[in-house]
mmCIF file of all heavy atoms in Angstrom:
data_model
loop_
_atom_site.group_PDB
_atom_site.id
_atom_site.type_symbol
_atom_site.label_atom_id
_atom_site.label_comp_id
_atom_site.label_asym_id
_atom_site.label_seq_id
_atom_site.Cartn_x
_atom_site.Cartn_y
_atom_site.Cartn_z
ATOM 1 N N ASP Z 35 -8.723 20.969 6.324
ATOM 2 C CA ASP Z 35 -7.749 21.277 5.262
ATOM 3 C C ASP Z 35 -6.616 20.256 5.231
ATOM 4 O O ASP Z 35 -6.164 19.856 4.153
ATOM 5 C CB ASP Z 35 -7.166 22.678 5.461
ATOM 6 C CG ASP Z 35 -8.162 23.789 5.161
ATOM 7 O OD1 ASP Z 35 -9.207 23.517 4.532
ATOM 8 O OD2 ASP Z 35 -7.896 24.939 5.572
ATOM 9 N N ARG Z 36 -6.164 19.835 6.397
ATOM 10 C CA ARG Z 36 -5.093 18.838 6.473
ATOM 11 C C ARG Z 36 -5.528 17.521 5.846
ATOM 12 O O ARG Z 36 -4.788 16.911 5.073
ATOM 13 C CB ARG Z 36 -4.692 18.626 7.940
ATOM 14 C CG ARG Z 36 -3.483 17.718 8.125
ATOM 15 C CD ARG Z 36 -3.128 17.598 9.605
ATOM 16 N NE ARG Z 36 -4.132 16.851 10.346
ATOM 17 C CZ ARG Z 36 -4.265 15.535 10.331
ATOM 18 N NH1 ARG Z 36 -3.464 14.801 9.597
ATOM 19 N NH2 ARG Z 36 -5.204 14.940 11.041
ATOM 20 N N ARG Z 37 -6.761 17.100 6.133
ATOM 21 C CA ARG Z 37 -7.261 15.839 5.562
ATOM 22 C C ARG Z 37 -7.466 15.960 4.058
ATOM 23 O O ARG Z 37 -7.219 15.016 3.305
ATOM 24 C CB ARG Z 37 -8.566 15.415 6.250
ATOM 25 C CG ARG Z 37 -8.455 15.076 7.733
ATOM 26 C CD ARG Z 37 -7.358 14.062 8.075
ATOM 27 N NE ARG Z 37 -7.495 12.785 7.417
ATOM 28 C CZ ARG Z 37 -8.197 11.745 7.852
ATOM 29 N NH1 ARG Z 37 -8.855 11.824 8.984
ATOM 30 N NH2 ARG Z 37 -8.241 10.615 7.170
ATOM 31 N N VAL Z 38 -7.910 17.131 3.591
ATOM 32 C CA VAL Z 38 -8.063 17.353 2.149
ATOM 33 C C VAL Z 38 -6.702 17.241 1.469
ATOM 34 O O VAL Z 38 -6.567 16.596 0.420
ATOM 35 C CB VAL Z 38 -8.726 18.722 1.864
ATOM 36 C CG1 VAL Z 38 -8.604 19.102 0.398
ATOM 37 C CG2 VAL Z 38 -10.181 18.703 2.284
ATOM 38 N N THR Z 39 -5.686 17.852 2.052
ATOM 39 C CA THR Z 39 -4.340 17.793 1.489
ATOM 40 C C THR Z 39 -3.849 16.348 1.424
ATOM 41 O O THR Z 39 -3.265 15.919 0.419
ATOM 42 C CB THR Z 39 -3.370 18.657 2.326
ATOM 43 O OG1 THR Z 39 -3.833 20.009 2.293
ATOM 44 C CG2 THR Z 39 -1.956 18.588 1.791
ATOM 45 N N GLN Z 40 -4.102 15.576 2.478
ATOM 46 C CA GLN Z 40 -3.731 14.156 2.485
ATOM 47 C C GLN Z 40 -4.445 13.406 1.365
ATOM 48 O O GLN Z 40 -3.836 12.601 0.658
ATOM 49 C CB GLN Z 40 -4.105 13.500 3.810
ATOM 50 C CG GLN Z 40 -3.270 13.879 4.986
ATOM 51 C CD GLN Z 40 -3.788 13.216 6.257
ATOM 52 O OE1 GLN Z 40 -4.980 12.949 6.397
ATOM 53 N NE2 GLN Z 40 -2.878 12.948 7.182
ATOM 54 N N LEU Z 41 -5.731 13.666 1.227
ATOM 55 C CA LEU Z 41 -6.535 12.983 0.224
ATOM 56 C C LEU Z 41 -6.065 13.331 -1.183
ATOM 57 O O LEU Z 41 -5.949 12.459 -2.053
ATOM 58 C CB LEU Z 41 -8.010 13.348 0.416
ATOM 59 C CG LEU Z 41 -9.065 12.520 -0.278
ATOM 60 C CD1 LEU Z 41 -8.935 11.051 0.047
ATOM 61 C CD2 LEU Z 41 -10.447 13.026 0.093
ATOM 62 N N GLU Z 42 -5.769 14.589 -1.413
ATOM 63 C CA GLU Z 42 -5.307 15.032 -2.731
ATOM 64 C C GLU Z 42 -3.935 14.471 -3.084
ATOM 65 O O GLU Z 42 -3.572 14.421 -4.259
ATOM 66 C CB GLU Z 42 -5.289 16.553 -2.794
ATOM 67 C CG GLU Z 42 -6.680 17.152 -2.808
ATOM 68 C CD GLU Z 42 -6.690 18.666 -2.696
ATOM 69 O OE1 GLU Z 42 -5.662 19.261 -2.288
ATOM 70 O OE2 GLU Z 42 -7.738 19.254 -3.014
ATOM 71 N N ALA Z 43 -3.169 14.025 -2.097
ATOM 72 C CA ALA Z 43 -1.847 13.451 -2.343
ATOM 73 C C ALA Z 43 -1.930 12.017 -2.880
ATOM 74 O O ALA Z 43 -0.932 11.477 -3.350
ATOM 75 C CB ALA Z 43 -1.021 13.479 -1.068
ATOM 76 N N ILE Z 44 -3.109 11.418 -2.825
ATOM 77 C CA ILE Z 44 -3.288 10.035 -3.288
ATOM 78 C C ILE Z 44 -3.646 10.069 -4.772
ATOM 79 O O ILE Z 44 -4.703 10.568 -5.154
ATOM 80 C CB ILE Z 44 -4.389 9.319 -2.483
ATOM 81 C CG1 ILE Z 44 -4.053 9.332 -0.991
ATOM 82 C CG2 ILE Z 44 -4.586 7.892 -2.998
ATOM 83 C CD1 ILE Z 44 -5.181 8.859 -0.095
ATOM 84 N N SER Z 45 -2.745 9.530 -5.600
ATOM 85 C CA SER Z 45 -3.003 9.528 -7.037
ATOM 86 C C SER Z 45 -3.959 8.394 -7.407
ATOM 87 O O SER Z 45 -4.066 7.387 -6.709
ATOM 88 C CB SER Z 45 -1.697 9.413 -7.818
ATOM 89 O OG SER Z 45 -1.037 8.210 -7.489
ATOM 90 N N LYS Z 46 -4.654 8.615 -8.505
ATOM 91 C CA LYS Z 46 -5.635 7.649 -9.007
ATOM 92 C C LYS Z 46 -4.969 6.807 -10.089
ATOM 93 O O LYS Z 46 -4.092 7.298 -10.789
ATOM 94 C CB LYS Z 46 -6.832 8.390 -9.603
ATOM 95 C CG LYS Z 46 -7.529 9.285 -8.629
ATOM 96 C CD LYS Z 46 -8.538 10.158 -9.351
ATOM 97 C CE LYS Z 46 -9.069 11.212 -8.390
ATOM 98 N NZ LYS Z 46 -9.839 12.220 -9.043
ATOM 99 N N PRO Z 47 -5.393 5.582 -10.241
ATOM 100 C CA PRO Z 47 -6.396 4.831 -9.489
ATOM 101 C C PRO Z 47 -5.801 4.219 -8.227
ATOM 102 O O PRO Z 47 -4.587 4.116 -8.083
ATOM 103 C CB PRO Z 47 -6.809 3.738 -10.473
ATOM 104 C CG PRO Z 47 -5.574 3.464 -11.268
ATOM 105 C CD PRO Z 47 -4.878 4.803 -11.378
ATOM 106 N N VAL Z 48 -6.684 3.803 -7.325
ATOM 107 C CA VAL Z 48 -6.255 3.086 -6.130
ATOM 108 C C VAL Z 48 -6.353 1.591 -6.394
ATOM 109 O O VAL Z 48 -7.089 1.148 -7.275
ATOM 110 C CB VAL Z 48 -7.093 3.480 -4.885
ATOM 111 C CG1 VAL Z 48 -6.891 4.948 -4.546
ATOM 112 C CG2 VAL Z 48 -8.562 3.164 -5.067
ATOM 113 N N THR Z 49 -5.603 0.827 -5.643
ATOM 114 C CA THR Z 49 -5.680 -0.634 -5.749
ATOM 115 C C THR Z 49 -6.876 -1.143 -4.950
ATOM 116 O O THR Z 49 -7.466 -0.387 -4.156
ATOM 117 C CB THR Z 49 -4.394 -1.288 -5.196
ATOM 118 O OG1 THR Z 49 -4.336 -1.047 -3.783
ATOM 119 C CG2 THR Z 49 -3.146 -0.753 -5.882
ATOM 120 N N GLY Z 50 -7.201 -2.393 -5.113
ATOM 121 C CA GLY Z 50 -8.276 -2.983 -4.325
ATOM 122 C C GLY Z 50 -7.980 -2.939 -2.836
ATOM 123 O O GLY Z 50 -8.862 -2.652 -2.024
ATOM 124 N N GLU Z 51 -6.731 -3.195 -2.464
ATOM 125 C CA GLU Z 51 -6.336 -3.154 -1.053
ATOM 126 C C GLU Z 51 -6.465 -1.730 -0.506
ATOM 127 O O GLU Z 51 -6.953 -1.524 0.608
ATOM 128 C CB GLU Z 51 -4.895 -3.641 -0.907
ATOM 129 C CG GLU Z 51 -4.374 -3.610 0.498
ATOM 130 C CD GLU Z 51 -2.900 -3.977 0.597
ATOM 131 O OE1 GLU Z 51 -2.166 -3.875 -0.408
ATOM 132 O OE2 GLU Z 51 -2.488 -4.344 1.711
ATOM 133 N N GLU Z 52 -6.036 -0.754 -1.291
ATOM 134 C CA GLU Z 52 -6.138 0.638 -0.866
ATOM 135 C C GLU Z 52 -7.593 1.071 -0.741
ATOM 136 O O GLU Z 52 -7.980 1.730 0.235
ATOM 137 C CB GLU Z 52 -5.390 1.545 -1.841
ATOM 138 C CG GLU Z 52 -3.890 1.368 -1.787
ATOM 139 C CD GLU Z 52 -3.147 2.072 -2.897
ATOM 140 O OE1 GLU Z 52 -3.748 2.378 -3.957
ATOM 141 O OE2 GLU Z 52 -1.932 2.323 -2.719
ATOM 142 N N ALA Z 53 -8.416 0.683 -1.717
ATOM 143 C CA ALA Z 53 -9.838 1.035 -1.668
ATOM 144 C C ALA Z 53 -10.489 0.475 -0.413
ATOM 145 O O ALA Z 53 -11.242 1.167 0.272
ATOM 146 C CB ALA Z 53 -10.547 0.527 -2.919
ATOM 147 N N ALA Z 54 -10.178 -0.783 -0.091
ATOM 148 C CA ALA Z 54 -10.755 -1.407 1.100
ATOM 149 C C ALA Z 54 -10.329 -0.669 2.369
ATOM 150 O O ALA Z 54 -11.128 -0.490 3.290
ATOM 151 C CB ALA Z 54 -10.348 -2.875 1.169
ATOM 152 N N ALA Z 55 -9.086 -0.210 2.422
ATOM 153 C CA ALA Z 55 -8.618 0.534 3.588
ATOM 154 C C ALA Z 55 -9.274 1.906 3.656
ATOM 155 O O ALA Z 55 -9.667 2.367 4.735
ATOM 156 C CB ALA Z 55 -7.096 0.672 3.543
ATOM 157 N N LEU Z 56 -9.423 2.558 2.517
ATOM 158 C CA LEU Z 56 -10.016 3.896 2.485
ATOM 159 C C LEU Z 56 -11.487 3.888 2.898
ATOM 160 O O LEU Z 56 -11.988 4.875 3.441
ATOM 161 C CB LEU Z 56 -9.854 4.510 1.096
ATOM 162 C CG LEU Z 56 -8.425 4.903 0.723
ATOM 163 C CD1 LEU Z 56 -8.319 5.198 -0.773
ATOM 164 C CD2 LEU Z 56 -7.952 6.091 1.546
ATOM 165 N N VAL Z 57 -12.179 2.782 2.679
ATOM 166 C CA VAL Z 57 -13.591 2.668 3.063
ATOM 167 C C VAL Z 57 -13.763 2.902 4.563
ATOM 168 O O VAL Z 57 -14.786 3.411 5.002
ATOM 169 C CB VAL Z 57 -14.161 1.293 2.639
ATOM 170 C CG1 VAL Z 57 -15.467 0.988 3.335
ATOM 171 C CG2 VAL Z 57 -14.348 1.240 1.141
#
Side-chain angles (χ1 to χ4, degrees):
D35 289 345
R36 186 178 69 77
R37 296 308 301 273
V38 167
T39 299
Q40 288 177 330
L41 195 55
E42 290 173 343
I44 302 170
S45 60
K46 301 170 189 169
V48 296
T49 67
E51 179 185 21
E52 291 170 338
L56 290 167
V57 164

